[in-house]
Amino acid sequence: MSSPATSASSDTESLSTQPPTVMSLAPSHNALVADRVAQKSWTIEDSEKLYRIQGWGEPYFSINAAGHVTVSPKGDRGGSLDLYELVESLKQRNLALPLLIRFSDILEDRIDRLNSCFARAIARYSYKNVYRGVFPVKCNQHRQLIQDLVRFGQPHHFGLEAGSKPELMIALATLNTPGALLICNGYKDREYIETAILAQRLGQTSVIVLEQIEEVELAIAASIALGIKPVLGVRAKLTTKGVGRWGGSTGDRAKFGLTIPEIIRAVGELEKAGMLDCLQLLHFHIGSQISSISVIKDAIREASHIYVELAKLGANMNYLDVGGGLGVDYDGSKTNFHASKNYNMQNYANDVVAGVKDACDERKIPVPIIISESGRAIASHQSVLVFDVLGTSDVPRELPEPVDENAHQIPRNLYEIYQSITPENYQEVYHDAIQFKEEAVSLFNLGYLGITERAKTEQLYWACCDKIQAIARQKEYVSEDLEDLEKVMASIYYINLSVFQSVPDSWAINQLFPIMPINRLNEEPTERGILADLTCDSDGKIDQFIDLRDVKSVLELHTLKPGDPYYLALFLGGAYQEIMGNLHNLFGDANTVHIQLTPSGYHIEHVVKGDTMKEVLSYVQYDAESLVESIRRQTEAALQQNKITLSEAQLLLQNYERSLGKYTYLQS
Ligand SMILES: *Cc1c(COP(=O)(O)O)cnc(C)c1O
């Protein structure tokens, strides 16, 4: 996390750790089939369809004629750059992979889009008030991003939402847009509340949202002590059922918010203190990534009625804050699947505006300023995580040699099976092959089959699978047991990344993100792989991928060409992933660059170098100098005992000291 200035000297030497080697592939059935198919010539349209880039990527990501991913950071407003070429040129500037590339123009476009959707809805329903969005800082707290956000939000009076004391510190110091809201959520103590009230004196429109009943008393006391009237809100626990992963954010047992009886009690306490006029906002949040529009409509209906009732009770109601939940279409299917959503941003804005208006008109209450706290929908698209593949490991796919007559019965049987596989019997013989393989293991364990024969058996088994798979892939439909074959035969692609650090939600909650190669998209991806990361944790892998229907267990990838870089990118990970990432195995933050489109190309706004080894070691209380000292002492002792030569000792110390200042990832 050092500044670009101090880390200008960069990491040009490679580490002593060797990446896994690329296993050479003997020509297999799949490769042969692939060759034939390749002649039919794979097009970028085929890649578009395969990786569903239009579904999740429009209008920012697409594929160009060179077979590279292109980024159009301004959306429909023109201008684009070739992501592969960008990565190549960043590498030449000593910015090693993995690289997190932020496109500030995308962030701006998202803010503009959300605001124009609400503006359109307001015009369409002749809504007699305005929309004032806020960005929930918890989605991505990085300074440059928050600063950009505030700047881009200025024309829309876009504000910030803080969910904790440290986030309030950020929001208070950064927000400088007159009229923008500073929404104060989360657990609060006296100091939090005082700070939020005093912020008014700086010209901030800070609203303290009471989330726990105890906070009512705290707010009253702080206000009396300071002699300043706060703007207060209440967060309601709605009965409307949330759905999916964050379904538990609503209902009586939700972690935050006041129940209806508690809201009534809060109104009573405020009234008694002569502060009912301070209560101006109603807030709810029914969870993130709401995939179904009907859930949103239900919540709006319930919340609007609570709003109207509070106005009737004499509160000075002025704001309705509909929280987050606006979803992102990670798989591009436009469905209510958890990785998708069955509505677009305009539908969302329309339903919010229309729902609130209906409830207010019915009871002749003036319509409120509408606030949304959309985080995911604003921050997800702006960053792209690019990483390289270090090598692959494949199941053996060699064509088998004939088995002679004196060989053991099992390899002989398997060879016969191998030869007999046809498009008619492939499914049936698949089960025979499995059975023989299992039998071989039993016989081996009993001492009736030697290790060479067992090896032969396994080779034949994989050869059968390879042949069967080649046939299965030509079929329109295959049964479930054969679908498993894809998973069994999948290659492992070793990626230069830590899932725990960079995509924690993939590991923690099985969230799906679009992942695809950024080059060679004009070539057919003939392999099927899963991704294994650098950590020595078997959970450090990605083996679920977006698909039109449900989820894919393997990703279509290209064979590696020695000496040719092959880059993969993970998209839509700009919300939540960065801050929730952890230091498992001590892989640190990735190098981050901020890119802005210019008329003649692009401009690198900021470079935030990823953690060095020294930095991650210091997080766990190791001091680099003491570590070096320990190695120095050990080498000295080894020298004394003639266990190491002087030049070996020198090399060891040199590598050790140099590594400390370097990136935690492998250098290819
Ligand atoms: C997390 C959170 C948000 C952001 O939700 P998204 O679904 O990312 O838009 C908004 N408001 C509150 C109170 C939250 O806790």
Side-chain angles (χ1 to χ4, degrees), residues 377-571:
I378 294 275
S380 292
H381 299 71
Q382 50 81 34
S383 76
V384 178
L385 178 69
V386 181
F387 48 97
D388 45 342
V389 175
L390 300 165
T392 63
S393 148
D394 306 279
V395 296
R397 290 176 188 268
E398 297 90 10
L399 295 178
E401 282 170 23
V403 176
D404 72 65
E405 282 163 27
N406 311 324
H408 194 280
Q409 186 67 37
I410 292 209
R412 276 195 353 240
N413 288 349
L414 265 169
Y415 189 66
E416 233 169 72
I417 287 186
Y418 173 78
Q419 286 180 304
S420 74
I421 300 169
T422 64
E424 284 69 46
N425 71 358
Y426 74 106
Q427 188 168 357
E428 173 194 331
V429 293
Y430 176 50
H431 295 283
D432 295 343
I434 293 177
Q435 200 192 333
F436 281 123
K437 188 191 135 212
E438 284 169 1
E439 236 169 80
V441 175
S442 308
L443 290 176
F444 177 78
N445 290 346
L446 291 168
Y448 295 132
L449 192 79
I451 195 160
T452 0
E453 285 159 318
R454 179 170 164 183
K456 185 78 199 161
T457 307
E458 287 188 16
Q459 263 168 356
L460 283 161
Y461 167 75
W462 290 118
C464 290
C465 290
D466 190 38
K467 205 166 165 186
I468 292 165
Q469 189 186 29
I471 294 171
R473 281 190 187 168
Q474 306 294 309
K475 300 275 175 186
E476 284 270 306
Y477 169 83
V478 293
S479 61
E480 222 164 86
D481 45 346
L482 281 158
E483 270 175 23
D484 271 356
L485 187 59
E486 282 292 347
K487 220 186 310 184
V488 173
M489 301 288 287
S491 302
I492 300 172
Y493 278 65
Y494 295 100
I495 54 173
N496 195 14
L497 189 77
S498 157
V499 167
F500 301 93
Q501 172 61 254
S502 296
V503 214
D505 277 344
S506 160
W507 157 67
I509 59 172
N510 290 325
Q511 193 183 318
L512 298 173
F513 292 95
I515 298 173
M516 64 180 284
I518 65 166
N519 58 325
R520 297 177 62 186
L521 293 164
N522 46 9
E523 288 174 43
E524 178 173 16
T526 52
E527 301 303 305
R528 304 288 179 275
I530 64 155
L531 310 180
D533 79 355
L534 286 180
T535 66
C536 15
D537 191 315
S538 49
D539 279 347
K541 63 175 192 302
I542 301 177
D543 58 1
Q544 294 207 307
F545 305 95
I546 61 156
D547 199 8
L548 181 58
R549 279 178 222 96
D550 216 353
V551 175
K552 276 199 289 210
S553 55
V554 292
L555 182 65
E556 291 81 356
L557 293 164
H558 300 82
T559 37
L560 298 190
K561 290 187 197 154
D564 259 12
Y566 186 51
Y567 303 138
L568 303 181
L570 181 143
F571 297 86

Side-chain angles (χ1 to χ4, degrees), residues 133-165:
V134 293
F135 178 74
V137 174
K138 80 157 192 266
C139 265
N140 195 323
Q141 300 94 338
H142 284 88
R143 177 170 59 82
Q144 289 90 353
L145 185 133
I146 295 291
Q147 286 173 344
D148 278 352
L149 204 130
V150 167
R151 183 160 48 92
F152 299 143
Q154 248 146 20
H156 312 288
H157 308 281
F158 213 69
L160 294 174
E161 182 261 5
S164 66
K165 281 214 272 184

Side-chain angles (χ1 to χ4, degrees), residues 136 138-139 161 185 235 283 285 288 324-325 373-376 576:
K138 80 157 192 266
C139 265
E161 182 261 5
N185 285 337
R235 173 166 175 173
H283 166 53
H285 174 68
S288 203
E373 304 176 344
S374 309
R376 189 183 291 276
Y576 302 110

Side-chain angles (χ1 to χ4, degrees), residues 339-364:
S340 186
K341 60 186 170 97
N342 65 3
Y343 57 93
N344 63 26
M345 205 183 248
Q346 189 63 61
N347 303 145
Y348 175 81
N350 289 349
D351 283 338
V352 170
V353 170
V356 176
K357 183 176 190 286
D358 279 353
C360 290
D361 285 0
E362 222 172 80
R363 305 289 297 275
K364 308 224 165 2

Side-chain angles (χ1 to χ4, degrees), residues 115-288:
N115 281 281
S116 36
C117 285
F118 270 99
R120 245 176 266 136
I122 281 170
R124 175 169 171 188
Y125 296 102
S126 314
Y127 189 85
K128 299 263 161 359
N129 213 330
V130 293
Y131 167 73
R132 288 274 180 274
V134 293
F135 178 74
V137 174
K138 80 157 192 266
C139 265
N140 195 323
Q141 300 94 338
H142 284 88
R143 177 170 59 82
Q144 289 90 353
L145 185 133
I146 295 291
Q147 286 173 344
D148 278 352
L149 204 130
V150 167
R151 183 160 48 92
F152 299 143
Q154 248 146 20
H156 312 288
H157 308 281
F158 213 69
L160 294 174
E161 182 261 5
S164 66
K165 281 214 272 184
E167 288 181 0
L168 177 66
M169 307 287 114
I170 295 176
L172 196 49
T174 314
L175 190 61
N176 56 5
T177 308
L181 291 161
L182 198 170
I183 302 288
C184 306
N185 285 337
Y187 289 106
K188 298 169 206 72
D189 58 10
R190 176 77 180 244
E191 195 179 59
Y192 183 134
I193 290 175
E194 274 176 11
T195 310
I197 296 177
L198 286 166
Q200 290 181 28
R201 292 286 198 241
L202 304 179
Q204 299 280 9
T205 314
S206 54
V207 183
I208 300 169
V209 180
L210 306 169
E211 308 220 15
Q212 309 282 326
I213 191 72
E214 296 76 23
E215 290 171 8
V216 181
E217 216 180 292
L218 273 181
I220 294 172
S223 159
I224 293 170
L226 293 169
I228 307 173
K229 280 207 162 179
V231 179
L232 297 178
V234 281
R235 173 166 175 173
K237 272 184 189 169
L238 297 191
T239 307
T240 304
K241 270 259 170 299
V243 278
R245 183 69 224 164
W246 290 277
S249 307
T250 59
D252 292 340
R253 302 306 299 157
K255 188 170 154 190
F256 289 113
L258 306 185
T259 58
I260 299 296
E262 283 172 333
I263 291 177
I264 297 301
R265 197 173 124 197
V267 167
E269 284 180 31
L270 289 171
E271 194 164 24
K272 209 161 76 199
M275 284 173 62
L276 192 53
D277 58 331
C278 297
L279 181 56
Q280 300 184 15
L281 176 146
L282 176 73
H283 166 53
F284 70 89
H285 174 68
I286 54 168
S288 203

